[in-house]
Amino acid sequence: MTESMRIGTRKSTMALAQTEEIARRLAVVAPELAVEIVKFEPVGDRDQTSNLLKHGGKGGAFVGEIRAAVLKGTLHAAMHSLKDMPGNEDTPGLVIGATLVRDPPTDALVLREGVSLDDLKRTHGNGFKIGTNAVRRAAYIRRLFPEIEVIHFRGAADTRVRKLDNGEMQRLPDGDEVGPADALIMARSGLERVGLASRIARDFTPQEMLPAVGQGIVAVECAAHDWASRRHLSLIDDPAAHLSCDAEREVLWVLNGHCNSPIAGYSVISGHEMSLTASVLDEADGRFIEVTRIGPADRPRELGRAVGLELLDKGAGALIEANRPAE
């Protein structure tokens, strides 16, 4: 008897590539399973002008509608980029059934034609505009190029590169426009997924730009009581990625990090040990609070909790509250 699994996903090129990878892996380990990919266009993709806070942050903007379909039972599972999943709240009734092998977690620099990395280095960024919608990336790039102008820039990975190449202005929530951008900061994994890795002018090391929590990890969410789906998804789960997922997201939980939180976190497993580095930063005045700890790889949440609590001891809570959106 043929079983089925309906997997919901955003309809962007990158999201579809990630979901197709899930389907390919399931076909190998569970050939009896008929996988159907169901495309969604959540509000965060429909509205590329407004601040994400208007739609409830990344959670409401990108994953809320798909999660609701899983809870309703019209989907068996949902594909998410782990970094888009809110870390300061649980969704009752849902679990992460699988995490795929982690893609490169680092950020990368993409330049428009006519701009070189040497230009940015020589001028410290003076006279150039760089596009990102992430507080974390904005803060780190100002460390590397202190005189650069950071501008609001949203859209799917391939859409952002097209806007950069065409010299398009970016509309702001208040109706004004900024741009055009001279460069973008993007996730290397996203550029690879949409076939644009050749556009990378520079890879930032984790020391230069600590990745977002969960960056590079594809997560598959399903209903907690759906044991058939959980069994199938467990067959494609990568244990190392899941351990990193648990450690890094525990930091978000401890810090009560909201969607506008300037938080970064990245873990590395070596043998039986995990090293976890997390930071909280203030884009306005350039303050950084960073903590690194090493612990047993098989106790990821404990390590994440220790890192989060040490960050709070060092004053991270005040930086997070300073960036918390008004109710």
Side-chain angles (χ1 to χ4, degrees):
M1 179 178 176
T2 301
E3 298 180 77
S4 64
M5 179 177 289
R6 289 167 53 86
I7 305 176
T9 177
R10 295 162 66 186
K11 62 191 296 185
S12 71
T13 302
M14 183 172 71
L16 288 172
Q18 292 170 327
T19 311
E20 287 162 1
E21 176 67 17
I22 294 167
R24 282 193 293 271
R25 290 173 182 264
L26 285 171
V28 172
V29 298
E32 75 284 359
L33 191 65
V35 176
E36 179 186 356
I37 296 175
V38 183
K39 303 174 188 177
F40 283 71
E41 189 174 20
V43 64
D45 291 327
R46 298 194 302 270
D47 177 3
Q48 295 190 8
T49 300
S50 300
N51 190 301
L52 293 179
L53 298 177
K54 173 183 176 182
H55 305 301
K58 281 188 173 183
F62 296 124
V63 306
E65 295 170 53
I66 305 176
R67 276 177 159 174
V70 177
L71 289 169
K72 186 179 178 181
T74 56
L75 293 176
H76 296 98
M79 187 290 298
H80 306 299
S81 291
L82 187 63
K83 68 182 180 64
D84 290 337
M85 297 175 66
N88 63 328
E89 60 185 38
D90 281 330
T91 301
L94 296 180
V95 295
I96 294 177
T99 54
L100 301 191
V101 175
R102 192 171 206 167
D103 291 326
T106 51
D107 291 295
L109 182 69
V110 177
L111 302 173
R112 68 167 173 80
E113 186 176 358
V115 177
S116 72
L117 184 57
D118 286 341
D119 292 335
L120 296 182
K121 289 179 177 178
R122 185 184 66 257
T123 62
H124 301 288
N126 189 2
F128 293 95
K129 296 180 175 67
I130 191 162
T132 180
N133 192 47
V135 175
R136 173 189 62 86
R137 287 173 176 160
Y140 276 108
I141 203 65
R142 287 194 176 101
R143 280 180 130 187
L144 299 171
F145 306 112
E147 297 182 40
I148 205 161
E149 181 183 350
V150 179
I151 63 172
H152 170 87
F153 215 90
R154 279 190 50 207
D158 49 338
T159 301
R160 276 179 278 166
V161 175
R162 174 181 56 77
K163 289 179 178 179
L164 174 73
D165 291 343
N166 293 343
E168 295 180 28
M169 301 293 285
Q170 180 77 19
R171 279 192 355 178
L172 297 176
D174 63 5
D176 288 341
E177 290 186 325
V178 292
D182 301 295
L184 302 175
I185 313 171
M186 303 178 67
R188 167 174 263 280
S189 57
L191 289 163
E192 289 181 350
R193 288 281 184 186
V194 298
L196 292 172
S198 62
R199 294 298 306 273
I200 295 174
R202 176 177 175 176
D203 281 301
F204 298 113
T205 66
Q207 291 72 36
E208 292 173 320
M209 188 173 292
L210 195 64
V213 165
Q215 188 158 300
I217 297 178
V218 173
V220 193
E221 207 169 32
C222 65
H225 66 269
D226 184 355
W227 297 106
S229 293
R230 293 183 69 169
R231 176 175 58 82
H232 284 121
L233 291 175
S234 70
L235 300 175
I236 63 169
D237 183 55
D238 180 70
H242 216 129
L243 290 170
S244 287
C245 162
D246 289 345
E248 294 171 25
R249 285 177 62 78
E250 187 70 14
V251 175
L252 289 184
W253 178 261
V254 170
L255 296 177
N256 190 25
H258 51 84
C259 64
N260 204 45
S261 293
I263 299 170
Y266 176 51
S267 58
V268 177
I269 297 173
S270 179
H272 296 292
E273 288 188 328
M274 174 185 286
S275 172
L276 172 61
T277 299
S279 67
V280 177
L281 47 100
D282 190 325
E283 182 189 0
D285 63 15
R287 282 190 298 158
F288 281 72
I289 302 173
E290 187 172 283
V291 169
T292 298
R293 285 201 176 204
I294 297 174
D298 61 354
R299 294 161 71 180
R301 293 188 185 276
E302 184 175 311
L303 180 60
R305 195 172 308 120
V307 168
L309 290 172
E310 186 173 344
L311 284 167
L312 289 176
D313 285 342
K314 292 185 173 183
L319 297 188
I320 293 171
E321 288 307 311
N323 288 275
R324 188 175 296 278
E327 295 294 338

